[in-house]
Amino acid sequence: MALRFSLAAFSLILLLSYPLLLNAKTLKRDMKALNEIKASLGWRVVYAWVGDDPCGDGDLPPWSGVTCSTQGDYRVVTELEVYAVSIVGPFPTAVTNLLDLTRLDLHNNKLTGPIPPQIGRLKRLKMLNLRWNKLQDVIPPEIGELKSLTHLHLSFNSFKGEIPKELANLPELRYLYLQENRLVGRIPAELGTLQNLRHLDVGNNHLVGTIRELIRIEGCFPALRNLYLNNNYLTGGIPAQLANLTKLEILYLSYNKMSGIVPLGLSQIPRLTYLYLDHNQFSGRIPDAFYKHPFLKDMYIEGNAFRPGVKPIGIHKVLELTDTEFLV
């Protein structure tokens, strides 16, 4: 009898609360911000954004690419995904007024100019994807204020200046993509303190320094699986301490100015699968242990000064993760 009463009471509560959810109004702050964005974007987006309420109003559905959630008596915008629609113009600053955003994806457009420092206001943001645009200027250090961020994609733009060490203030960060920009200076060793970082790609920039400097902090990069340092101006050798990155699976050092021998300890990384050493100034022999490694599928060595008889492993491939892989 008590169970039957509880179920009936629960059903009554649901019935009474349903109209409240249905009639929840979109927060004016978010409506204003999205309509400002609507006014600044091209027709490719606007034609699908009908009405004034981005979360939908009456018979009108939510705007394409906009996801809303109910919080108390209001609906708020939690996701904005407008990609590959040829948006032209500066980064829409009004986006930074969407304070409940958890996901912002504007990749593969033609956005220009800098990322505004107000980006640091989006404290709930978990994924920021701005790759394949024409964004410029420095990466704002305010991104380091986004403590919930797990995925940061800024690749294939025209960012300049140094990698801000403030990115090391992102405790949840797992994937950091900075490749194909115009970044200079050294890679901040502070990134090694990121306990959850799995993937670091800074390839195809103008970075200098050594791997020894990058891994100088004891216990650094404990979760790192993929390290892309290719096509920069890195010098020095491969330090034996790199073997302390025991989770490493991909090490991509191609097209730098590195030298010295390949240390035996590197072959003791348990799941090392892809090792790219090509087009550097490495010399000597490659220890036999690499050729007996149970996981090593591909080791590319051309364009170095190795002794005669040193052979590659596998066939060289350009390693690029697919969209589905980097969203894991």
Side-chain angles (χ1 to χ4, degrees):
M1 185 72 177
L3 178 62
R4 190 179 303 163
F5 176 77
S6 298
L7 288 173
F10 181 68
S11 299
L12 182 62
I13 291 169
L14 280 180
L15 228 99
L16 292 173
S17 62
Y18 181 72
L20 296 176
L21 295 174
L22 194 64
N23 296 322
K25 295 182 179 180
T26 303
L27 198 65
K28 286 184 179 179
R29 176 202 69 197
D30 289 6
M31 286 185 64
K32 182 175 185 290
L34 261 299
N35 276 282
E36 285 182 20
I37 295 167
K38 177 181 178 180
S40 68
L41 300 182
W43 66 269
R44 290 173 182 269
V45 175
V46 174
Y47 84 93
W49 285 7
V50 181
D52 295 326
D53 192 338
C55 297
D57 184 13
D59 295 330
L60 295 176
W63 291 359
S64 174
V66 175
T67 301
C68 300
S69 301
T70 302
Q71 292 185 9
D73 296 332
Y74 294 94
R75 294 178 298 184
V76 296
V77 177
T78 53
E79 297 183 8
L80 180 60
E81 299 176 283
V82 185
Y83 52 83
V85 288
S86 298
I87 299 171
V88 178
F91 183 96
T93 304
V95 165
T96 63
N97 293 324
L98 300 171
L99 302 184
D100 293 289
L101 272 187
T102 61
R103 187 182 184 93
L104 176 58
D105 189 347
L106 302 176
H107 83 268
N108 199 11
N109 285 296
K110 297 177 182 178
L111 295 174
T112 57
I115 300 175
Q118 297 94 315
I119 195 75
R121 302 176 66 205
L122 303 180
K123 306 298 184 186
R124 298 186 180 184
L125 203 62
K126 294 182 179 180
M127 198 276 280
L128 176 59
N129 188 356
L130 300 176
R131 78 188 197 280
W132 286 108
N133 276 286
K134 298 177 182 294
L135 294 166
Q136 302 158 330
D137 214 333
V138 299
I139 297 172
E142 288 81 3
I143 288 180
E145 300 172 15
L146 308 178
K147 304 298 184 183
S148 298
L149 205 63
T150 61
H151 294 67
L152 178 57
H153 304 271
L154 301 179
S155 53
F156 297 95
N157 280 283
S158 297
F159 291 114
K160 62 182 182 180
E162 298 189 354
I163 299 171
K165 63 179 184 301
E166 287 82 1
L167 297 184
N169 298 332
L170 302 173
E172 303 299 324
L173 193 63
R174 295 185 178 187
Y175 296 89
L176 178 54
Y177 292 81
L178 302 176
Q179 74 270 27
E180 295 283 352
N181 280 289
R182 299 174 184 175
L183 299 170
V184 299
R186 286 170 164 75
I187 307 164
E190 290 85 353
L191 295 179
T193 64
L194 293 170
Q195 298 296 301
N196 295 302
L197 190 64
R198 298 179 183 179
H199 185 103
L200 173 60
D201 192 341
V202 295
N204 286 280
N205 280 287
H206 306 292
L207 300 167
V208 299
T210 67
I211 293 180
R212 186 177 299 278
E213 293 169 336
L214 176 61
I215 64 171
R216 69 174 185 265
I217 297 175
E218 187 174 354
C220 64
F221 297 111
L224 194 65
R225 297 177 184 175
N226 308 325
L227 179 58
Y228 287 66
L229 303 175
N230 55 290
N231 296 80
N232 282 291
Y233 299 97
L234 301 182
T235 55
I238 300 175
Q241 295 90 331
L242 191 59
N244 294 333
L245 277 59
T246 56
K247 299 288 182 67
L248 210 58
E249 297 177 10
I250 298 173
L251 179 59
Y252 207 164
L253 304 178
S254 306
Y255 290 93
N256 277 287
K257 297 180 180 298
M258 299 182 65
S259 58
I261 64 168
V262 179
L264 174 63
L266 203 60
S267 68
Q268 296 169 1
I269 298 177
R271 293 185 175 273
L272 187 63
T273 308
Y274 299 98
L275 176 60
Y276 287 133
L277 306 172
D278 57 289
H279 298 94
N280 280 282
Q281 298 163 21
F282 294 119
S283 58
R285 297 185 182 277
I286 293 180
D288 290 342
F290 284 93
Y291 299 94
K292 299 175 182 177
H293 195 292
F295 283 90
L296 192 56
K297 294 180 180 179
D298 203 347
M299 180 174 68
Y300 208 62
I301 62 172
E302 78 168 20
N304 283 290
F306 289 119
R307 290 187 181 181
V310 173
K311 296 180 180 180
I313 298 174
I315 301 172
H316 180 51
K317 301 174 184 176
V318 176
L319 293 175
E320 292 290 348
L321 297 187
T322 66
D323 285 357
T324 53
E325 285 174 315
F326 72 61
L327 292 176
V328 172

